[in-house]
Amino acid sequence: MSGGNNHDNPFKIAQQQIQACADILDLPQSTRQVLLHPMREFHVNFPVRMDDGAIRVFEGFRVQYNDAKGPAKGGIRFHPEETIDTVRALAAWMTWKCSLLDLPLGGGKGGVICNPKEFSPAELERVSRAYIRAIGPFIGPEKDIPAPDVYTNPQIMAWMVDEYSSIVGKNQFGVITGKPLALGGSPGRGDATARGGMYTLREAARKVGLDLSKATMAIQGYGNAGSYAASLAESMFGIKVVAACDSKGAVTCKDGLCVLKVAEHKANTCSVLGCEGTVDLSNEELLQMDVDILVLAALEGTLTQKNAHKVKAKLIVELANGPTTPEADEILYNKGIHVIPDFLCNAGGVTVSYFEMVQNAYMYYWDEKEIHEKLDKKMTRAYHEVFDTSKRHGINMRKAAYVVAVQRVVDAMKVRGWV
Ligand code: GLU
């Protein structure tokens, strides 16, 4: 999570990563200055009437980090600890993510400081609509296209599209992605982040010589990405998922968890803790388990210099954004652990969001099989570009992903005459 000092500040980390990449690419100072800062950001305060009749004023942000390659794209988070620097970092990572997948999009992110778990459904709807009224002038299918992220979901996207459509006086499905199927959503968007990560895991396992049908996996985070990762790892490859956790704690079963039972238990009780047939564990213990694959699917700042040396997994699948600090990256690289870095590994979500935009524009919809094939092709290609670049430069996978992604953004800025 984001904190007060520089070291814990995700945006400082994002900037440190950009500097390291700019050194490898030998970029001039002026180009670095553009890459190190968001191009545009909006701070909004908006009132919402709560169920008890009182008015509460919420603070929100929308950051358009860089739109050299196309309109800004990225999710909206509702989180009590949201900060502008977290949103800036996430917007920067979206820029590299879209570039790495070769999508004609820039990077953006939004956030509202709130705890949606405390809202009634009607309050959640009013907060969602009010945020869109506040940022409405700055978004649009050709400017900036939001989507779901931490604690937001397809229903929230539907309210937001409806609100935006009434502002502009016409249906504008293309303004937001991750919508429900009933309102211009794309088949395959629900599990896209996890599925995309599984395609990169398949390629990585081939590179490191790991037989996935005999592999074990621990999953940190059991939200959209983590729970789909559990069921897909099992159904696609026969991986044994032996542990899972959420913000309240972890559970394990050495013969393998029943992943559907864990998901059902979490849906009923809001936690994986206490699921039948499992033993409790601490979240730190889960990170240190002797498994083949560790999936990071929670928030930023999970692996740091304090715990990275205790990781025993051979492969790390980063479905969260920013789960590993630069110091932890060095430790993992020196230990020979293969990391599939966040903005490569979790790019399946935005890739299917892009397919959703294309379908909205065409008013013609593909079937799920077609989405899976197109997603597989894009993820596999991006994985190999990053892997080959890491070997060519003798650098870790994250730095290699930066080299590929940042170079493309710089090329776009150059031909536009910005740098
Ligand atoms: N929030 C997701 C991400 O961090 C998806 C963004 C999108 O679909 O625009 O990649």
Side-chain angles (χ1 to χ4, degrees):
M1 286 305 302
S2 51
N5 64 44
N6 279 0
H7 180 81
D8 293 334
N9 182 326
F11 188 47
K12 296 284 173 208
I13 291 176
Q15 289 182 317
Q16 195 180 331
Q17 292 166 335
I18 295 165
Q19 287 285 21
C21 170
D23 288 343
I24 298 169
L25 291 174
D26 201 16
L27 296 178
Q29 264 318 316
S30 53
T31 307
R32 288 175 194 238
Q33 283 310 311
V34 180
L35 296 173
L36 282 167
H37 304 284
M39 303 195 79
R40 229 170 279 116
E41 60 182 46
F42 306 97
H43 295 230
V44 293
N45 290 284
F46 55 91
V48 177
R49 191 174 297 280
M50 309 308 281
D51 288 350
D52 63 4
I55 299 277
R56 249 181 86 182
V57 180
F58 292 91
E59 190 181 355
F61 316 104
R62 184 74 192 169
V63 175
Q64 295 165 357
Y65 197 84
N66 186 303
D67 60 8
K69 282 178 61 62
K73 182 88 194 80
I76 296 168
R77 314 203 321 167
F78 284 177
H79 200 279
E81 284 161 57
E82 196 62 277
T83 67
I84 183 62
D85 273 341
T86 313
V87 180
R88 285 178 182 137
L90 290 158
W93 292 327
M94 282 310 300
T95 308
W96 320 134
K97 193 182 303 189
C98 291
S99 175
L100 183 62
L101 272 289
D102 227 353
L103 309 178
L105 296 167
K109 204 80 172 195
V112 177
I113 306 173
C114 68
N115 186 356
K117 292 180 183 170
E118 288 169 357
F119 295 156
S120 70
E123 287 173 335
L124 185 61
E125 176 173 351
R126 289 198 292 275
V127 171
S128 306
R129 287 183 184 274
Y131 174 64
I132 285 303
R133 284 195 297 278
I135 64 162
F138 318 119
I139 62 170
E142 285 158 354
K143 269 195 239 179
D144 181 0
I145 306 99
D149 202 278
V150 172
Y151 296 157
T152 55
N153 58 36
Q155 173 60 75
I156 293 175
M157 298 305 117
W159 290 323
M160 290 179 168
V161 165
D162 185 65
E163 191 66 28
Y164 187 82
S165 297
S166 58
I167 293 171
V168 297
K170 59 183 173 186
N171 274 327
Q172 274 283 17
F173 290 178
V175 67
I176 281 173
T177 59
K179 300 179 292 290
L181 277 178
L183 198 73
S186 175
R189 179 63 182 84
D191 69 6
T193 305
R195 185 177 292 274
M198 291 302 115
Y199 294 141
T200 63
L201 170 61
R202 179 193 64 208
E203 298 308 305
R206 284 181 189 148
K207 292 288 184 194
V208 304
L210 178 68
D211 178 355
L212 289 180
S213 69
K214 297 195 178 75
T216 54
M217 177 183 272
I219 303 183
Q220 184 239 10
Y222 222 68
N224 173 286
S227 59
Y228 275 125
S231 52
L232 289 173
E234 201 178 78
S235 63
M236 288 169 73
F237 310 122
I239 292 172
K240 198 202 285 180
V241 180
V242 293
C245 76
D246 56 31
S247 58
K248 301 202 176 78
V251 291
T252 182
C253 174
K254 66 175 186 322
D255 297 328
L257 297 171
C258 172
V259 297
L260 290 180
K261 217 196 256 171
V262 177
E264 216 176 275
H265 185 81
K266 184 167 167 71
N268 293 335
T269 66
C270 293
S271 174
V272 297
L273 279 182
C275 180
E276 195 195 320
T278 68
V279 177
D280 290 358
L281 195 75
S282 77
N283 286 5
E284 271 304 316
E285 283 170 324
L286 179 139
L287 298 175
Q288 300 164 24
M289 280 178 79
D290 193 3
V291 286
D292 298 305
I293 304 155
L294 175 62
V295 176
L296 302 177
L299 293 169
E300 58 279 7
T302 295
L303 292 184
T304 65
Q305 57 193 348
K306 291 200 192 99
N307 57 6
H309 58 279
K310 296 186 191 144
V311 172
K312 295 187 195 74
K314 299 182 186 70
L315 248 159
I316 295 184
V317 174
E318 291 189 344
L319 288 178
N321 288 309
T324 308
T325 65
E327 294 78 14
D329 264 336
E330 286 308 309
I331 297 170
L332 298 172
Y333 188 62
N334 291 333
K335 277 169 72 97
I337 297 174
H338 187 83
V339 177
I340 312 174
D342 53 0
F343 68 83
L344 165 63
C345 189
N346 69 29
V350 74
T351 301
V352 177
S353 274
Y354 163 64
F355 297 156
E356 185 173 329
M357 289 172 64
V358 173
Q359 294 169 89
N360 291 154
Y362 265 172
M363 294 188 80
Y364 180 78
Y365 289 80
W366 306 328
D367 62 26
E368 198 166 48
K369 185 165 167 279
E370 204 164 340
I371 300 278
H372 291 171
E373 282 165 9
K374 286 184 159 67
L375 177 62
D376 192 349
K377 206 164 149 192
K378 278 213 160 280
M379 297 299 301
T380 301
R381 187 174 149 193
Y383 175 86
H384 288 285
E385 269 170 342
V386 173
F387 185 86
D388 294 347
T389 305
S390 90
K391 291 291 158 217
R392 197 166 54 246
H393 290 273
I395 52 180
N396 70 34
M397 287 287 282
R398 188 175 330 273
K399 285 190 176 148
Y402 263 93
V403 165
V404 176
V406 170
Q407 183 64 61
R408 286 188 189 139
V409 174
V410 170
D411 289 346
M413 295 202 299
K414 267 195 194 143
V415 290
R416 292 182 78 136
W418 293 2
V419 293

